[in-house]
Amino acid sequence: MELPRIISVDDHVIEPAHLFETWLPKKYQDRGPKPLTAGIGELAYVAGKYQITMDPDGPPTDWWIYEDLKFPYKRNIAAVGFDRDEMTLEGITRAEMRRGCWDPKARLEDMDLNHVEASLCFPTFPRFCGQTFAEAHDKEVALACVRAYNDWMVEEWCGDSGGRLIPLCIIPLWDIDLAVAEIHRNAARGVKAVTFSEIPTHLGLPSIHSGYWDPFFAACQDTGTVVNMHIGSSSQMPAASPDAPPAVQASLSFNNAMASMMDFLFSGVLVKFPTLKLAYSEGQMGWIPYALERADDVWEEHRAWGGVRDLIPEPPSSYYYRQIFCCFFRDKHGVASLDVVGRDNATFETDYPHVDSTFPNTKEVALDHVKGLDDETIYKLMRGNAIRMLDLDFDKGLTFPWSAKSAAAAAAAK
């Protein structure tokens, strides 16, 4: 079988040290994020949270220093190129990383090695949906940082890739009007994807049930911008006992995606915005059949007291099949349940450069998952559904709105 070249809907980028020096307006640079190489202390993992300290005698690590935040890069988020037993929580410098983590030209080379044609990358230092800037004290600088990150993402990271690196932007989560403006600003230059929190209330933000986010959802629907929600984009991963090892959290990570999807299915958001597209990233899909069965059962059997009798006119699963995409990379149970998961709803990811990444063996992993499936379904899983989800020009022979851009556009951001 010749596997179609993959379009990965969930990868990650390690931000280059020059990002804010290049893209943040000069008047904000003294208050903006600054790169630093310094020693790191021993990491502790307590109740689902990492406790990190600087230590001048510790291993050299690349950090971002921003207001009172000290953010280090760790091996498990830049894991490609290391042996499995070396993918630890130790600090790491960019010089020690595989260059494709932070260099777009090297990333394209690694994609070629890995049978990947195109890639959508989530942030690292801003965190999965821009929480870093939402938590900042000085919101004027934070807004400038959001815009600077998006300018770098569109113009530099994706700009010279010929459309192969697909821009994924962030929004100022703390102000709905600014968020809407940022959606329109980026859509005007061809951006089709934004990252959002799976569970905003965990960030101290209004819930999707409140109506607060409706202008944001309307802007995304109007511009064809896909709302991408990565596990952990609520800054809170599922855990059991407070002293459980990180492996428990890793095994339960899909729970956030499942909780978020139930939230949306019973919120009325997908009723109100019938062409809005949601995408769940790194949540896998083997859990989806029962989640949909349970949601439909609750809708049917518990409608008198469940609070959704007049809010959700059709079975919740109908909105899933119409508007929600999932993705997978190691999930044979999900593939075996594809008729219920939805052959038009599932996409593929490589998770480069995280510890879960299938690089450089993604083709072999994918082939092992899709063996026995028909060619049309394989095409949909590997690229077709991603093309439709993100309204990409692949397979049409067209150009990408951002593909002619370059870092020279940084001058316009000043």
Side-chain angles (χ1 to χ4, degrees), residues 55 117 128 137 175 257 319 322 327-328 339 343 352 363:
D55 180 351
E117 182 167 14
F128 291 149
H137 304 297
D175 187 302
Y319 303 103
R322 187 177 74 185
C327 72
F328 73 103
D339 285 336
R343 290 170 189 254
Y352 183 111
K363 184 176 182 179

Side-chain angles (χ1 to χ4, degrees), residues 158-352:
C158 300
D160 293 326
S161 70
R164 295 183 63 194
L165 293 172
I166 304 162
L168 175 65
C169 289
I170 59 178
I171 56 169
L173 290 161
W174 62 91
D175 187 302
I176 189 64
D177 293 330
L178 293 174
V180 168
E182 192 63 12
I183 291 294
H184 286 290
R185 185 176 82 93
N186 292 312
R189 50 183 171 176
V191 175
K192 293 288 187 180
V194 65
T195 176
F196 184 64
S197 177
E198 61 204 350
I199 308 173
T201 54
H202 287 346
L203 303 179
L205 298 169
S207 82
I208 62 167
H209 303 274
S210 67
Y212 174 84
W213 297 103
D214 283 3
F216 166 71
F217 295 135
C220 291
Q221 175 173 262
D222 293 346
T223 59
T225 301
V226 183
V227 178
N228 296 263
M229 293 172 285
H230 197 284
I231 56 168
S233 56
S234 58
S235 297
Q236 183 172 313
M237 293 294 285
S241 305
D243 54 349
V248 174
Q249 171 189 295
S251 300
L252 291 173
S253 60
F254 71 92
N255 278 9
N256 277 12
M258 182 166 59
S260 176
M261 193 176 83
M262 286 297 187
D263 228 13
F264 271 98
L265 290 179
F266 286 112
S267 68
V269 168
L270 301 180
V271 179
K272 193 179 300 183
F273 304 103
T275 60
L276 177 69
K277 290 183 282 190
L278 308 180
Y280 284 100
S281 307
E282 208 171 321
Q284 307 289 6
M285 61 186 189
W287 52 270
I288 289 177
Y290 177 69
L292 293 178
E293 178 183 340
R294 179 61 180 165
D296 283 356
D297 187 57
V298 167
W299 177 83
E300 180 67 35
E301 303 295 337
H302 302 267
R303 59 182 179 270
W305 68 274
V308 293
R309 178 171 52 189
D310 300 320
L311 186 63
I312 312 298
E314 303 292 334
S317 63
S318 64
Y319 303 103
Y320 164 82
Y321 291 119
R322 187 177 74 185
Q323 294 175 251
I324 297 179
F325 293 83
C326 58
C327 72
F328 73 103
F329 54 101
R330 289 191 185 92
D331 190 347
K332 290 186 178 181
H333 184 73
V335 174
S337 307
L338 201 55
D339 285 336
V340 182
V341 169
R343 290 170 189 254
D344 294 322
N345 300 81
T347 59
F348 197 73
E349 62 165 291
T350 79
D351 199 31
Y352 183 111

Side-chain angles (χ1 to χ4, degrees), residues 115-131:
H115 200 68
V116 173
E117 182 167 14
S119 168
L120 184 78
C121 291
F122 283 83
T124 302
F125 163 63
R127 312 218 300 278
F128 291 149
C129 68
Q131 303 103 296

Side-chain angles (χ1 to χ4, degrees), residues 138-171:
D138 188 330
K139 289 299 192 288
E140 181 184 0
V141 176
L143 176 61
C145 288
V146 167
R147 291 172 174 166
Y149 177 87
N150 289 339
D151 291 342
W152 165 81
M153 165 61 63
V154 177
E155 310 287 358
E156 183 177 336
W157 178 252
C158 300
D160 293 326
S161 70
R164 295 183 63 194
L165 293 172
I166 304 162
L168 175 65
C169 289
I170 59 178
I171 56 169

Side-chain angles (χ1 to χ4, degrees), residues 1-160:
M1 177 196 306
E2 182 53 42
L3 190 76
R5 287 187 78 191
I6 293 162
I7 296 179
S8 174
V9 300
D10 173 34
D11 295 316
H12 301 267
V13 60
I14 302 298
E15 295 78 18
H18 69 260
L19 192 159
F20 295 100
E21 180 183 358
T22 301
W23 293 95
L24 188 65
K26 290 189 184 301
K27 67 177 181 177
Y28 298 121
Q29 288 194 2
D30 61 333
R31 292 178 286 160
K34 295 177 178 61
L36 174 71
T37 301
I40 191 171
E42 187 173 344
L43 273 71
Y45 179 82
V46 181
K49 300 283 186 180
Y50 295 109
Q51 296 181 358
I52 303 168
T53 58
M54 282 186 169
D55 180 351
D57 297 322
T61 299
D62 278 344
W63 302 72
W64 286 104
I65 308 302
Y66 175 47
E67 294 190 342
D68 52 2
L69 173 68
K70 297 177 176 66
F71 181 97
Y73 289 121
K74 306 185 297 295
R75 275 196 187 188
N76 66 322
I77 61 172
V80 291
F82 288 96
D83 180 83
R84 180 62 58 184
D85 290 328
E86 296 176 328
M87 296 179 182
T88 65
L89 294 176
E90 295 176 49
I92 190 172
T93 64
R94 291 179 186 83
E96 295 172 303
M97 299 176 191
R98 190 174 180 91
R99 192 176 180 91
C101 292
W102 52 268
D103 181 303
K105 183 176 182 294
R107 175 64 67 94
L108 293 173
E109 293 170 356
D110 277 356
M111 288 161 60
D112 288 336
L113 288 174
N114 205 31
H115 200 68
V116 173
E117 182 167 14
S119 168
L120 184 78
C121 291
F122 283 83
T124 302
F125 163 63
R127 312 218 300 278
F128 291 149
C129 68
Q131 303 103 296
T132 293
F133 302 124
E135 293 169 1
H137 304 297
D138 188 330
K139 289 299 192 288
E140 181 184 0
V141 176
L143 176 61
C145 288
V146 167
R147 291 172 174 166
Y149 177 87
N150 289 339
D151 291 342
W152 165 81
M153 165 61 63
V154 177
E155 310 287 358
E156 183 177 336
W157 178 252
C158 300
D160 293 326

Side-chain angles (χ1 to χ4, degrees), residues 3-9 117-118 166 226 277 325-326 328 342-349 370 374-396:
L3 190 76
R5 287 187 78 191
I6 293 162
I7 296 179
S8 174
V9 300
E117 182 167 14
I166 304 162
V226 183
K277 290 183 282 190
F325 293 83
C326 58
F328 73 103
R343 290 170 189 254
D344 294 322
N345 300 81
T347 59
F348 197 73
E349 62 165 291
V370 302
D374 60 272
D375 289 348
E376 180 183 3
T377 298
I378 293 172
Y379 174 83
K380 287 181 176 182
L381 298 179
M382 295 297 106
R383 61 187 289 119
N385 290 338
I387 288 172
R388 182 170 52 86
M389 179 181 94
L390 293 163
D391 191 25
L392 299 175
D393 292 328
F394 287 107
D395 301 342
K396 297 179 184 177

